[in-house]
Amino acid sequence: MTMSETQLSDEQSRSVAALIREELARRRISRQRLADQAKISISTLEKALAGRRPFTLATTIRLEEALGVALRKANSHAPTPASPAHVSLAPSDLGSYSRPAVSFMEGPYLTLRPSFSDPTAIYAYRTEIVWDSTFSSLIFRESERVDADYAQQGLVSVPNQSGFIYFITNRQGQYRLVILSRVAISGEMFGIMTTLQSGRGAELTPVSVPIAYLPEKPQAKMDYGRVAAGHTCYERYRAYLKRTIAEQFALFLPV
């Protein structure tokens, strides 16, 4: 019998179901979200939690990796083929997420926001999201910026409660914050960035702008830098930024 077919006993399945329900309540996440993170069908999860079918060993391991907790008792007689001995968890102030639960976010992104120096232009650069074992969390780092000296890197927070994603930069107490929501199918992320804009001399002014992160695809044409009207990428980039407001990924309230 293969691992995917190996079933837990009725007692073990009841114990696993109870632990999963406890984790769902504690983290305030939906069953659908857990199923997506574990890469199993919602039907499989619902039937197992309701006791209409036993958990298989493969499904249980996937759920353990998604939740970052052990669901099987140490004295269980069920066969235990190799699984990660330790599932890395992010610190609680970043959302306590496990690496398998956020691995779908890793990779390079084309990043778009309005240009500060020319409001009609679009500023485009590259952001890479990777797992950093030192911080035990996702981090982001920017490149391909015209103003390379101001390229940012920082931590990624993924709290279960809100479902939003946060990119946090902290340089000696000076913060830049990006709040994003993610389009599940395409992997695109849209939201708002709050930072400081350079003015005359040493003057700095708080500013908030829409921002978009698009997973980079080898076949897609991408240009970095300050993209002005008339550029071949301008209208496509502008359409992505306009989605942030048009689809209410972020709101800018009038005074």
Side-chain angles (χ1 to χ4, degrees):
M1 184 177 291
T2 65
M3 182 177 71
S4 62
E5 297 170 333
T6 303
Q7 296 180 345
L8 304 188
S9 68
D10 289 345
E11 180 184 355
Q12 291 163 349
S13 289
R14 285 193 295 270
S15 175
V16 168
L19 289 171
I20 290 174
R21 286 193 290 268
E22 181 181 332
E23 288 296 321
L24 289 172
R26 184 174 66 83
R27 303 181 188 207
R28 299 179 184 177
I29 60 174
S30 68
R31 294 183 178 187
Q32 181 65 65
R33 182 168 181 179
L34 175 58
D36 291 343
Q37 291 177 345
K39 295 181 175 61
I40 62 175
S41 71
I42 183 62
S43 174
T44 295
L45 180 60
E46 292 281 8
K47 289 178 181 178
L49 289 177
R52 297 198 300 271
R53 63 183 294 178
F55 283 92
T56 66
L57 186 57
T59 296
T60 305
I61 290 174
R62 288 190 177 194
L63 289 164
E64 286 178 331
E65 293 176 349
L67 291 168
V69 298
L71 299 173
R72 292 164 292 162
K73 295 180 181 179
N75 62 354
S76 169
H77 296 294
T80 54
S83 62
H86 174 70
V87 178
S88 298
L89 286 179
S92 59
D93 57 356
L94 294 179
S96 299
Y97 54 84
S98 66
R99 184 177 187 182
V102 296
S103 60
F104 62 86
M105 289 176 54
E106 294 186 67
Y109 292 78
L110 170 66
T111 308
L112 306 173
R113 64 164 171 79
S115 170
F116 293 152
S117 59
D118 179 1
T120 65
I122 296 171
Y123 193 56
Y125 53 94
R126 191 173 195 254
T127 300
E128 187 176 12
I129 302 175
V130 297
W131 182 270
D132 188 291
S133 57
T134 302
F135 293 101
S136 189
S137 74
L138 291 175
I139 64 167
F140 72 92
R141 53 195 181 208
E142 299 173 353
S143 61
E144 304 295 337
R145 288 185 54 153
V146 175
D147 54 349
D149 291 341
Y150 294 94
Q152 307 271 326
Q153 64 178 25
L155 302 175
V156 179
S157 176
V158 190
N160 288 313
Q161 288 85 347
S162 68
F164 283 84
I165 299 161
Y166 299 78
F167 291 178
I168 306 161
T169 302
N170 177 5
R171 287 186 174 178
Q172 298 179 334
Q174 182 170 295
Y175 282 80
R176 191 196 76 172
L177 179 64
V178 178
I179 305 177
L180 299 163
S181 59
R182 181 176 181 274
V183 181
I185 296 177
S186 64
E188 298 161 350
M189 297 185 288
F190 300 89
I192 188 172
M193 179 179 75
T194 299
T195 186
L196 295 175
Q197 177 182 0
S198 298
R200 289 174 294 183
E203 181 183 350
L204 295 172
T205 305
V207 61
S208 293
V209 294
I211 192 166
Y213 291 80
L214 316 174
E216 291 190 352
K217 300 176 181 177
Q219 68 274 21
K221 176 175 174 53
M222 293 177 295
D223 282 342
Y224 302 111
R226 193 169 288 104
V227 179
H231 189 284
T232 55
C233 293
Y234 180 77
E235 290 301 329
R236 180 163 57 92
Y237 286 3
R238 184 168 177 266
Y240 277 116
L241 274 183
K242 289 181 70 175
R243 282 187 65 187
T244 302
I245 308 301
E247 299 181 26
Q248 295 193 348
F249 290 106
L251 295 177
F252 293 85
L253 301 180
V255 178

